[in-house]
Amino acid sequence: MEQVQVPPPPSPPGTAPAPRARVNGGRLRRPLLIVFLLAVLLVLLAPLTTTDQADSLGVPVLVDRSQIRILTTVAMFVVMASGWNLVGGLTGYGSFGNVAFFGLGAYTCAVAVDVHRLHLPMAAGIAFAPLVPAAFAALVGLALLRLRGHYFAIATLGTAVAVGEVVKNVDYLGGATGLFPPILHSADLLFLYLMVGAALLAVIVSRLILRSRFGYGLIAIRENEEAASVIGVNTTAYKVGAFTVAAALTGLAGGVFAVWNSFINQELGFSLDFNIQMILMAVLGGAGTLFGPVLGVIVLEFLLQNVAGRSDVAVYAQIGLGLLLAVTVIFVPRGIVDFFGGSSRLSLAHLRRALRETSA
Amino acid sequence: MQLLLQQVVLGLLIGGIYVAVAIGFSLVWGILNIVNLAHGALVMVGAYVTWLLFAHAHLDPFLSLPVVAVALFAFGYALQRILINRVIRAPLFFTLLLTFGVNLMIVNALLVLFKSDFRSVTPSYSGSGFGIASVQVPYIRLAALGVAVVLAAAVGVLLNRTRTGAAIQAVGADRDAARLVGVDLRHVYALTFAVAAACAGVAGALISTIQAITPTAGEPYTLQAFVVVVLGGLGRVGATVVGGLVFGLVETLGQTMVPGLGAGWANAIAFAILVVVLIARPQGLMGRRP
């Protein structure tokens, strides 16, 4: 997972800049342009809030409800995988429980908009959604981030399971039945925009972090935490900071999901499926890189929708997911992004080498 | 007082199950440095083998223990040799991901084979027990505790009194040094995992006699095994026994004696124990400070 290219030190005057830097710049600029264009497109489309309007105007894609659902799901996982990437990829703390933040965000929003509870407008619910998970992450992060390796992974997994169980046992939060945020019939495209907006926000935040002092500090922690501490990185603050930002982003996705789905319970909010999918997407695409998680989401969603999703029995999809995990971990541990301009090519020789590097 | 005594007995008996589940988990973690997220799934494979033998061959679950152990030993050996050996030198997180993938495959293969129906193994003596001064002791749970203790002793003897055990411990202490003195690493890795899988199978056989089994019923046991190993301290069989019994005790007392909690809180209690131990005593109850 060492593939974030730390830019080479500035070359002394008179020498040509390192070719690597130029390649990286060119490689990053085009996807960033796409991010920008998507943002513009989002602003332009914003007045168009229902599929009926889209139908009457003849806008493609936005008239097909199943396409909209898939696009919204893709955007949702982009948020979650990018959020996980900040902790698991950039900081090197392999969290196994980020779905706790998703669930907390979803429940925060659901409680806020519920008619029998706070009964606030939807915008307020979504605005509150990142706050509770972020506060929770800052609090438990102080304890959990003292752990490393297996201990950290299982402790985070335990957090997710335990928080889900507590939520299920509290009547105010709907207990085992769950909560039902009001259904918004009048604007079925709105949730696509909201989720894509959240995804763009996640990518932009990741990009800002990657190129900041904060981001370099996180990478330093991943490479060698003691050394990072010695050179003056406040490791606790940095780690908890990354955990909190990841929680806020993931919680935002959860909040939008709650109103989009207009139903949330423990199984949905703290779904271990979502939990593992966001990790698999980030690792499959390329953990620690900016666009790796995005690529991973697109590839995995494509596979799930077209290969696994087509078989009527969900168990085969699950077996396929397990198989994909195994294949990814064994053959493409650096992620797909690595094949584009990275050190690896998708070739039999490379796959064999990857296998040899980690085998007994 | 009466209730407390009864719950202490039940807690220790259920602790025996946790000991059986955690022995194999601890072995793989200590020797291979892999936290096996498929451990609970292996437990369920053992439970289903027991159920098959009981339902179709009318074999007593305690008599089928050797068969289950041998079957799971072979399965575990193949699993490690073919799949998990491929990532043994990869970063820790990748072994977690791989074993999670294995877990998904096993659980869903069980769902395909057995559906999600509840199955149970009910020999004629299930449900009966004896009483000492009005404290009830169910026969099956007592026998399960006995089997768990014997299993722990057997693994202890294997590790400390045999040549194979010496090789396994050598690999756990220093892989490269072990290879230099002629240990076949791939074989020993597979052997270690196979022993762990056999233990998981035995645990599954015991579990099939005390609760209804479904393909997903093994998942809580992975988290519980982890808590038991952290609680006792990694590395010694004796520590796992202590960890399992203490965990069974605390969980049972927590669910029955603390007002407001109940059976729905099992995972939250396990997690609370985990966090407290990790922060207050990271080396475990029985471990030495590193």
Side-chain angles (χ1 to χ4, degrees):
Chain A
M1 291 209 275
E2 288 93 38
Q3 63 276 60
V4 160
Q5 258 94 38
V6 179
S11 23
T15 57
R20 184 104 209 164
R22 227 183 303 134
V23 173
N24 276 342
R27 206 150 50 100
L28 261 182
R29 218 164 283 142
R30 209 171 309 151
L32 277 177
L33 192 67
I34 296 176
V35 172
F36 178 70
L37 288 178
L38 264 177
V40 172
L41 187 67
L42 203 58
V43 173
L44 288 179
L45 282 176
L48 200 66
T49 50
T50 64
T51 41
D52 295 339
Q53 281 177 349
D55 203 17
S56 61
L57 287 174
V59 183
V61 183
L62 294 185
V63 292
D64 184 343
R65 285 211 166 78
S66 77
Q67 291 287 343
I68 294 170
R69 195 176 47 78
I70 292 173
L71 282 177
T72 315
T73 311
V74 165
M76 181 175 86
F77 276 111
V78 167
V79 184
M80 288 202 271
S82 298
W84 183 87
N85 189 39
L86 292 177
V87 181
L90 207 56
T91 321
Y93 274 70
S95 165
F96 240 80
N98 273 21
V99 81
F101 308 139
F102 181 81
L104 282 173
Y107 266 94
T108 307
C109 181
V111 167
V113 300
D114 193 282
V115 221
H116 304 294
R117 287 170 180 86
L118 300 183
H119 199 30
L120 299 171
M122 193 181 84
I126 291 173
F128 282 136
L131 299 182
V132 174
F136 177 76
L139 209 66
V140 298
L142 279 175
L144 292 183
L145 287 159
R146 290 170 53 185
L147 309 170
R148 289 186 196 176
H150 292 320
Y151 292 95
F152 178 74
I154 304 291
T156 47
L157 177 63
T159 312
V161 173
V163 172
E165 203 170 81
V166 171
V167 164
K168 198 178 183 174
N169 279 300
V170 176
D171 285 337
Y172 183 73
L173 301 175
T177 324
L179 292 172
F180 300 85
I183 299 173
L184 210 63
H185 285 296
S186 57
D188 47 0
L189 283 177
L190 189 64
F191 300 113
L192 173 66
Y193 299 157
L194 282 171
M195 211 59 110
V196 171
L200 291 174
L201 182 71
V203 172
I204 291 167
V205 167
S206 300
R207 153 85 189 183
L208 289 176
I209 288 179
L210 261 168
R211 289 302 166 90
S212 70
R213 191 185 170 84
F214 179 47
Y216 291 131
L218 296 178
I219 294 171
I221 290 172
R222 180 185 70 198
E223 298 302 326
N224 187 334
E225 189 160 345
E226 281 76 21
S229 166
V230 167
I231 59 168
V233 175
N234 182 348
T235 52
T236 308
Y238 275 53
K239 286 186 294 185
V240 174
F243 206 48
T244 308
V245 174
L249 287 173
T250 314
L252 179 63
V256 177
F257 175 80
V259 279
W260 171 40
N261 199 47
S262 66
F263 168 56
I264 188 80
N265 66 0
Q266 182 240 344
E267 276 84 29
L268 273 175
F270 298 88
S271 146
L272 291 182
D273 263 4
F274 282 8
N275 195 29
I276 198 65
Q277 276 180 30
M278 69 173 107
I279 301 171
L280 177 56
M281 286 160 171
V283 173
L284 179 68
T289 62
L290 181 57
F291 289 104
V294 182
L295 192 64
V297 172
I298 294 169
V299 170
L300 188 64
E301 265 307 308
F302 178 80
L303 285 174
L304 285 176
Q305 294 291 344
N306 291 293
V307 186
R310 201 159 284 175
S311 71
D312 299 324
V313 195
V315 286
Y316 293 107
Q318 294 282 312
I319 294 177
L321 196 63
L323 211 58
L324 190 64
L325 265 171
V327 170
T328 305
V329 169
I330 294 174
F331 291 107
V332 283
R334 284 156 182 255
I336 303 171
V337 155
D338 200 42
F339 296 129
F340 302 99
S343 56
S344 316
R345 293 277 173 277
L346 188 54
S347 68
L348 215 57
H350 168 71
L351 294 182
R352 235 183 273 130
R353 194 164 53 245
L355 191 60
R356 210 169 36 238
E357 270 171 18
T358 55
S359 287
Chain B
M1 190 59 214
Q2 180 60 47
L3 179 65
L4 181 68
L5 211 60
Q6 177 71 62
Q7 295 304 335
V8 167
V9 169
L10 285 179
L12 287 176
L13 291 177
I14 195 77
I17 300 289
Y18 292 138
V19 171
V21 172
I23 289 173
F25 187 84
S26 166
L27 191 65
V28 168
W29 187 1
I31 304 294
L32 304 183
N33 199 21
I34 289 175
V35 164
N36 179 17
L37 293 181
H39 193 75
L42 292 174
V43 169
M44 276 306 118
V45 174
Y48 273 101
V49 173
T50 312
W51 177 78
L52 278 178
L53 290 172
F54 178 78
H56 296 293
H58 305 291
L59 196 59
D60 184 273
F62 286 94
L63 290 179
S64 63
L65 285 178
V67 185
V68 176
V70 169
L72 267 287
F73 184 92
F75 183 58
Y77 191 94
L79 193 61
Q80 176 73 27
R81 191 84 197 219
I82 294 169
L83 210 56
I84 305 177
N85 265 355
R86 309 272 167 239
V87 296
I88 199 100
R89 282 191 284 153
L92 293 182
F93 193 68
F94 286 176
T95 59
L96 275 176
L97 278 177
L98 179 63
T99 54
F100 192 89
V102 171
N103 177 62
L104 277 180
M105 287 189 268
I106 294 178
V107 168
N108 287 286
L110 287 176
L111 277 168
V112 171
L113 289 172
F114 298 103
K115 309 284 180 284
S116 53
D117 303 341
F118 287 96
R119 317 275 189 186
S120 47
V121 176
T122 48
S124 56
Y125 47 88
S126 66
S128 54
F130 61 91
I132 312 171
S134 73
V135 172
Q136 285 299 311
V137 181
Y139 287 130
I140 282 201
R141 293 197 178 214
L142 189 63
L145 176 63
V147 171
V149 171
V150 171
L151 187 69
V155 172
V157 168
L158 170 75
L159 285 180
N160 296 316
R161 296 272 184 276
T162 66
R163 205 176 153 75
T164 309
I168 290 177
Q169 296 218 31
V171 169
D174 188 333
R175 285 173 193 180
D176 297 322
R179 194 177 50 205
L180 281 178
V181 297
V183 174
D184 178 358
L185 284 185
R186 276 179 242 188
H187 175 64
V188 171
Y189 289 151
L191 209 58
T192 310
F193 198 89
V195 171
C199 292
V202 170
L206 300 179
I207 286 167
S208 74
T209 63
I210 62 165
Q211 71 170 71
I213 56 171
T214 64
T216 51
E219 270 157 29
Y221 285 105
T222 306
L223 181 62
Q224 281 153 353
F226 188 89
V227 177
V228 166
V229 173
V230 170
L231 187 62
L234 184 61
R236 282 180 303 152
V237 180
T240 308
V241 174
V242 173
L245 295 179
V246 171
F247 180 70
L249 208 55
V250 175
E251 191 197 56
T252 306
L253 294 180
Q255 284 183 13
T256 51
M257 307 305 281
V258 178
L261 299 188
W265 292 82
N267 281 319
I269 293 174
F271 173 69
I273 296 174
L274 179 70
V275 170
V276 169
V277 173
L278 282 176
I279 290 169
R281 202 176 155 81
Q283 75 275 31
L285 293 177
M286 302 286 287
R288 293 173 212 95
R289 204 166 265 283

